[in-house]
């Protein structure tokens, strides 16, 4: 049986930026992952419905941003599921999908999250099931202290990555004020935001 190591990076990606891409790339390298699957959330449950991009636009921007990297792929599992997104559902659905489509593939699953999201891990729905489904990799993020999650030591790993002080919140605010977002997001994403007049 062939074994594949797959990382899942969940996020709102409103919009996707170079902080997300560096995190995914660094984890892929350090953990010898074959693939990182970006999973844009459905209606984000922890955020108020602020004027952002639609789920379909967030999905499209994620595809644009990842299209030039062979290691990266995008999944629609969360976009296509009704209701709010919970990590446990993302992992359960992806694992079921892979077992069905690739019965001869043995997969090892990893879930990638930034320091801020890692801190909330115990508030996620079903943290015990999450760690049964995937090994958690927490990456450093500027402005967010890495708080150790209250989880068994062998269920998660911290990885120090180059500091990218970029957030989607800041990019939306910049776009709203007509300030440049070049080089914070891939060129294709900046063009898409301009073309659709997002975040204005
Ligand atoms: P928002 O400001 O809207 O919350 P965001 O920049 O935090 O957007 P998300 O889509 O919320 O982006 O984040 C998805 C995942 O990527 C989370 O696990 C988050 O911690 C991580 N992440 C986002 N930006 C960075 C960054 N600059 N460095 C490291 N990790 C990051
Ligand atoms: Mg965030």
């Amino acid at each position: 049986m062939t074994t594949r190591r797959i990382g899942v990076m969940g996020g709102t990606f409103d919009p996707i930026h170079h902080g997300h891409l560096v995190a995914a790339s660094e984890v892929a390298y350090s953990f010898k992952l074959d693939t990182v699957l970006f999973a844009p959330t459905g209606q984000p449950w922890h955020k108020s419905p602020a004027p952002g991009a639609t789920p379909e636009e967030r999905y499209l921007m994620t595809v644009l941003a990842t299209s030039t990297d062979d290691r990266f792929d995008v999944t629609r599992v969360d976009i296509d599921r009704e209701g709010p997104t919970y990590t446990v559902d993302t992992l359960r659905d992806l694992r079921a999908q892979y077992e069905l489509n690739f019965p001869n593939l043995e997969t090892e699953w990893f879930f990638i999250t930034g320091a801020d999201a890692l801190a909330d891990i115990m508030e996620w729905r079903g943290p015990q099931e999450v760690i049964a489904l995937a090994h958690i990799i927490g990456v450093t993020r500027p402005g967010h202290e890495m708080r150790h999650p209250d989880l068994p030591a062998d269920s998660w790993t911290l990885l120090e990555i180059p500091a990218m002080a970029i957030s989607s919140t800041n990019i939306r605010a910049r776009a709203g004020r007509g300030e440049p977002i070049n080089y914070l997001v891939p060129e294709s994403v900046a063009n898409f935001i301009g073309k659709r007049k997002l975040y204005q």
Side-chain angles (χ1 to χ4, degrees):
M1 238 199 224
T2 344
T3 303
R4 281 182 75 81
R5 293 163 69 84
I6 303 178
V8 179
M9 175 127 192
T12 320
F13 303 130
D14 193 15
I16 189 165
H17 54 67
H18 280 128
H20 299 128
L21 295 165
V22 165
S25 173
E26 288 293 304
V27 174
Y29 174 73
S30 294
F31 285 79
K32 298 186 167 57
L33 304 185
D34 297 289
T35 305
V36 176
L37 286 175
F38 288 76
T41 55
Q43 190 51 48
W45 57 275
H46 57 291
K47 287 176 189 172
S48 55
T54 63
E56 211 59 45
E57 284 168 334
R58 294 186 287 102
Y59 170 77
L60 284 174
M61 290 190 281
T62 308
V63 171
L64 287 172
T66 55
S67 65
T68 51
D69 195 317
D70 285 344
R71 302 167 299 170
F72 294 169
D73 221 329
V74 187
T75 171
R76 293 188 59 95
V77 275
D78 294 335
I79 297 274
D80 289 343
R81 192 187 316 99
E82 283 285 304
T85 295
Y86 298 97
T87 301
V88 64
D89 295 326
T90 311
L91 291 169
R92 213 190 275 134
D93 289 359
L94 281 172
R95 287 186 66 136
Q97 219 176 63
Y98 269 69
E99 271 163 41
L100 190 70
N101 295 333
F102 311 103
N104 294 320
L105 198 69
E106 199 172 313
T107 42
E108 269 183 77
W109 293 87
F110 299 82
F111 187 80
I112 305 162
T113 167
D116 55 318
L118 183 69
D120 301 335
I121 209 161
M122 290 315 281
E123 288 148 41
W124 292 358
R125 203 166 74 167
Q128 294 307 323
E129 196 183 346
V130 170
I131 61 170
L133 291 168
H135 185 82
I136 310 291
I137 302 165
V139 299
T140 49
R141 179 173 189 182
H144 299 273
E145 201 194 321
M146 191 62 95
R147 247 202 302 133
H148 287 204
D150 188 12
L151 293 172
D154 62 352
S155 65
W156 57 279
T157 309
L158 294 184
L159 182 68
E160 172 123 19
I161 62 167
M164 305 284 278
I166 307 178
S167 73
S168 302
T169 300
N170 179 249
I171 291 164
R172 291 193 299 275
R174 283 169 159 269
R177 294 189 298 255
E179 292 168 10
I181 56 168
N182 316 57
Y183 310 113
L184 298 173
V185 298
E187 199 179 358
S188 53
V189 172
N191 290 340
F192 185 85
I193 290 169
K195 173 176 148 179
R196 292 275 174 113
K197 300 186 169 53
L198 297 179
Y199 313 123
Q200 296 191 359

